[in-house]
Amino acid sequence: LILDNPVVCRVENFVKYEPRWFNLSQLITDLVSQLYREPAVLFKDKINFKPPGGAGFLWHQDATAYATDDLAATHISALVAVDYGTVQNGALQIVPGTHKEGIFPHENGVIHQSIIDAWTPSSIHHVLTEPGDIVLFDSYLPHKSDTNQSDGWRRMAYLTYNKASEGDFHADYYKKKADLLQKGAISINLDFAGKIVD
């Protein structure tokens, strides 16, 4: 809700149905395959819409929402900037290097405050982007974003991949997500900082 008005904050599972995004996803597949040093396959895809006043996401790791016990063990996400990502409009924030530390203690995917308090302000970096930029990161990297305090939209797509040698889990992920999703949630992690309406 933005000033008591419902606003769409996310669209998922769209890449295979929209030709321009599908073509872009093939280029990103090549990039991620180079990082993996083996072929990659699309695991999931979403666009987060953050209008003026739109809420951000609390500190979390994507790995806790990817059902890694049953599906792929490793993931690399590509942030595709549709709009500028600035401090004012709630750009992605990360703590570089912490992806090597495994899964942090969390509750429903939200990292415990004691862990967050141990990070110094200088260790937290805003990922500032321009439209068309692509930023790659793995599913163990803690990240968050703040409320959009600007008067413009901040839209970011996230295309997530896994090693093709582990299997193609795109359909399986969305089935599992539908099974696990709690009523009134937009993700398996309960990390969305906004108010959700049905």
Side-chain angles (χ1 to χ4, degrees), residues 56-68:
F57 290 82
L58 305 173
W59 282 109
H60 65 282
Q61 294 169 289
D62 291 337
T64 59
Y66 287 172
T68 52

Side-chain angles (χ1 to χ4, degrees), residues 134-174:
I134 296 174
V135 178
L136 302 173
F137 61 98
D138 85 358
S139 56
Y140 289 91
L141 181 68
H143 56 284
K144 69 166 284 189
S145 66
D146 291 331
T147 297
N148 182 355
Q149 303 288 350
S150 77
D151 58 3
W153 284 73
R154 196 216 76 164
R155 297 164 295 179
M156 299 287 165
Y158 295 86
L159 310 186
T160 300
Y161 296 82
N162 64 273
K163 295 177 180 178
S165 60
E166 293 186 305
D168 183 343
F169 296 110
H170 192 268
D172 294 326
Y173 169 78
Y174 281 108

Side-chain angles (χ1 to χ4, degrees), residues 9-188:
C9 63
R10 175 176 289 174
V11 171
E12 294 202 49
N13 193 13
F14 66 95
V15 161
K16 294 184 177 182
Y17 308 102
E18 207 296 313
R20 290 167 295 183
W21 278 101
F22 179 79
N23 291 337
L24 177 60
S25 76
Q26 297 307 295
L27 295 174
I28 297 173
T29 300
D30 290 341
L31 291 175
V32 175
S33 297
Q34 291 177 51
L35 288 176
Y36 275 142
R37 298 178 186 266
E38 63 177 89
V41 64
L42 187 66
F43 181 78
K44 67 183 295 282
D45 47 293
K46 67 183 178 187
I47 299 181
N48 286 344
F49 298 91
K50 193 183 288 188
F57 290 82
L58 305 173
W59 282 109
H60 65 282
Q61 294 169 289
D62 291 337
T64 59
Y66 287 172
T68 52
D69 290 344
D70 299 324
L71 306 180
T74 63
H75 310 85
I76 293 175
S77 289
L79 176 159
V80 181
V82 178
D83 300 305
Y84 285 92
T86 68
V87 173
Q88 188 179 16
N89 71 11
L92 189 75
Q93 297 174 52
I94 62 170
V95 185
T98 52
H99 65 289
K100 301 175 182 177
E101 299 178 31
I103 299 288
F104 287 101
H106 64 91
E107 185 170 344
N108 294 316
V110 179
I111 295 173
H112 284 178
Q113 190 63 44
S114 60
I115 302 296
I116 298 166
D117 290 343
W119 295 331
T120 62
S122 62
S123 69
I124 298 170
H125 296 265
H126 286 85
V127 180
L128 305 180
T129 55
E130 297 182 2
D133 283 351
I134 296 174
V135 178
L136 302 173
F137 61 98
D138 85 358
S139 56
Y140 289 91
L141 181 68
H143 56 284
K144 69 166 284 189
S145 66
D146 291 331
T147 297
N148 182 355
Q149 303 288 350
S150 77
D151 58 3
W153 284 73
R154 196 216 76 164
R155 297 164 295 179
M156 299 287 165
Y158 295 86
L159 310 186
T160 300
Y161 296 82
N162 64 273
K163 295 177 180 178
S165 60
E166 293 186 305
D168 183 343
F169 296 110
H170 192 268
D172 294 326
Y173 169 78
Y174 281 108
K175 181 182 184 310
K176 185 149 190 171
K177 180 172 182 176
D179 293 342
L180 293 176
L181 204 60
Q182 298 183 37
K183 185 175 175 59
I186 64 169
S187 66
I188 296 171

